[in-house]
Amino acid sequence: MAQEDIFKKIIAHSKEYGFIFQSSEIYDGLSAVYDYGQIGVELKNNIKQYWWDAMTKLNENIVGIDAAIFMHPRTWEASGHVGAFNDPLIDNKDSKKRYRADVLIEEHMEKIEAKIQKEVDKASARFGDTFDEKQFRDTNQRVQENQLKLDELKARFVKALEANDLADLKQIIEDSGIVCPVSGSKNWTDVRQFNLMFSTQLGSVSEEASTIYLRPETAQGIFVNYLNVQKTGRMKIPFGIAQIGKAFRNEIVARQFIFRMREFEQMEMQFFVEPGTEMEWYKHWKEKRLKWHKSLGLGEEKYRFHDHDKLAHYANAAADIEFDFPMGFREVEGIHSRTDFDLGNHEKFSGRKIQYHDTVTNKSYVPYVVETSIGLDRMFLSVISNAYTEEEIEGKDETRIVMRIPAFLAPVKLAVFPLLKKDGLPEKAREIMDRLKFDFNCQYEEKDTIGRRYRRQDAIGTPFCITIDHQTQEDNTVTIRFRDTMKQERVPVENLEKIMEDKVSMKNVLREL
Ligand code: GAP
């Protein structure tokens, strides 16, 4: 099935089963804004908890905060967002469609890369085990020509971005022959900058009201609280502050479902270190974060690093962890070495001394920062797009849709079914459910055939279904049916808590980190 079709199916499935709804759908929706439904919110909360516990419980030197979304407007001048948080935009005069100039060029470069990869794959299939990829790349004329074109384009693109040279960005689009995907024409406007922050007014009297922004990243809430936390928590460098919260960006190219939204959620951690040690910590956090992702069990080959060619205004090193989404490898998390850019600027703009005093060396300094910043919604998308599976049921002329969500993240951990709605089976099922519901998110279902109930639970990713039948009344045993294998096992009721705990506990996964 084409990747695009899979993506469409995931979006439709998300709506049908209460994972994600378009915001304000009854008014035809609000573009690039989504709501999490009754099943989605459980999965989202589990992802949050896994991240939060991995940061704050497993690291004695990381603590959490929850800062407000509104901040003093000077914050965003100090952080550089008022001046530099811009996207270069270009319009096609024929289709009237607006694009990010950098995205158009990046997509063009991806096409050249794909051409090279196609040659390599073809040769690899032809030569089999004897294929030497490096030698092929170094000697094949077509690959060499395309590689040279790509390298030159990349260098020119990075230079134009770094110099904020909007005229050259337009020239690159023209020189590369990039056409509008809608009109197919090369009739472009000039490129201009567009600030991504949403603004609003604080204060009731319009003359006195001041413009404030909806935060475009949660990180600044951490920076402005650095002194508060360091002093009240008696934190010693190196230490970290973690936070989960909403961020807002007026994205122009807002598409691909919850991948790029205007209102989204970030899980960020700022790690404060001594200047000069930041590269060591940068490496440390790159590895640690990749391990966290891999621990979810979605497949090690689904992740890769992408080191940035162009650094954000605050960074001296940056890399993305990319996940293999249905539309290809895309960023899910960024790890940035932010130097003392933020704290240094907040010191300047606020006039407050924001320093750390090292009592051992008796030196004071503005700490450097290594940041890990992950998009919660993108994490969510990686989990559901990886989980979505359509499969034939062996021996039956039937297919099922099953969400193979890692058991410890599953929205509903177990479903409890009485086989029939009579003979005291519902009462027994309720009794079992009433015991288990304090530890696990359970659903009780008695409507429809058992087969249909299994399908509904498969579709929301419930890893275990427990059925109470007549034998339960005789020997106090129930069947557990496993989502992934569809196998069933008979177990004593008194063992249920222990069995469930072993299979769905987040603790077991955290222990492996
Ligand atoms: N504090 C650093 C920062 O905000 P970023 O690379 O702009 O860095 C971090 O964003 C992460 O936030 C990204 O890796 C991505 O997962 C998520 N993110 C950014 N913009 C987003 C958007 N419009 N919609 C959904 N997630 C987004």
Side-chain angles (χ1 to χ4, degrees), residues 65-100:
I65 63 163
D66 182 19
I69 287 171
F70 291 144
M71 301 180 70
H72 194 285
R74 296 275 282 164
T75 308
W76 305 109
E77 288 171 40
S79 69
H81 284 83
V82 171
F85 195 54
N86 300 318
D87 273 349
L89 296 189
I90 190 164
D91 291 9
N92 183 268
K93 291 183 197 163
D94 298 319
S95 67
K96 311 273 183 266
K97 291 274 174 206
R98 180 163 288 175
Y99 300 93
R100 268 175 59 178

Side-chain angles (χ1 to χ4, degrees), residues 217 249 251 259 261 266 268 331-332 338 371 373 375:
E217 61 170 7
R249 295 182 189 178
E251 298 281 2
F259 183 81
M261 298 154 89
Q266 289 185 317
E268 298 201 297
E331 171 187 353
V332 65
R338 291 181 79 129
E371 161 185 78
S373 173

Side-chain angles (χ1 to χ4, degrees), residues 366-488:
V366 178
Y368 270 40
V369 170
V370 174
E371 161 185 78
T372 71
S373 173
I374 170 171
L376 175 54
D377 312 274
R378 284 193 193 174
M379 258 315 291
F380 186 101
L381 185 59
S382 71
V383 173
I384 60 165
S385 55
N386 195 74
Y388 182 88
T389 319
E390 287 176 15
E391 62 184 28
E392 306 270 328
I393 300 178
E394 241 184 71
K396 289 190 188 171
D397 188 18
E398 209 186 310
T399 53
R400 66 166 184 157
I401 294 176
V402 52
M403 294 295 274
R404 295 180 184 276
I405 298 171
F408 77 103
L409 293 180
V412 176
K413 298 290 189 271
L414 74 150
V416 182
F417 305 154
L419 182 66
L420 301 171
K421 259 199 285 183
K422 58 180 188 183
D423 301 340
L425 300 182
E427 289 75 10
K428 182 68 185 168
R430 285 270 177 215
E431 186 193 308
I432 292 174
M433 165 114 173
D434 283 345
R435 251 181 49 204
L436 296 174
K437 71 183 180 192
F438 295 99
D439 292 311
F440 311 103
N441 190 14
C442 307
Q443 267 195 4
Y444 175 85
E445 279 211 68
E446 58 179 25
K447 243 183 108 189
D448 295 327
T449 61
I450 283 283
R452 282 194 165 190
R453 287 182 252 171
Y454 284 154
R455 290 295 159 273
R456 279 202 293 271
Q457 296 298 330
D458 286 344
I460 59 170
T462 306
F464 309 104
C465 293
I466 292 171
T467 303
I468 287 83
D469 53 20
H470 292 100
Q471 196 180 326
T472 312
Q473 292 169 320
E474 285 163 26
D475 60 8
N476 212 28
T477 61
V478 291
T479 58
I480 300 186
R481 181 258 193 192
F482 298 89
R483 176 194 70 196
D484 295 344
T485 59
M486 294 193 288
K487 295 239 160 71
Q488 297 189 26

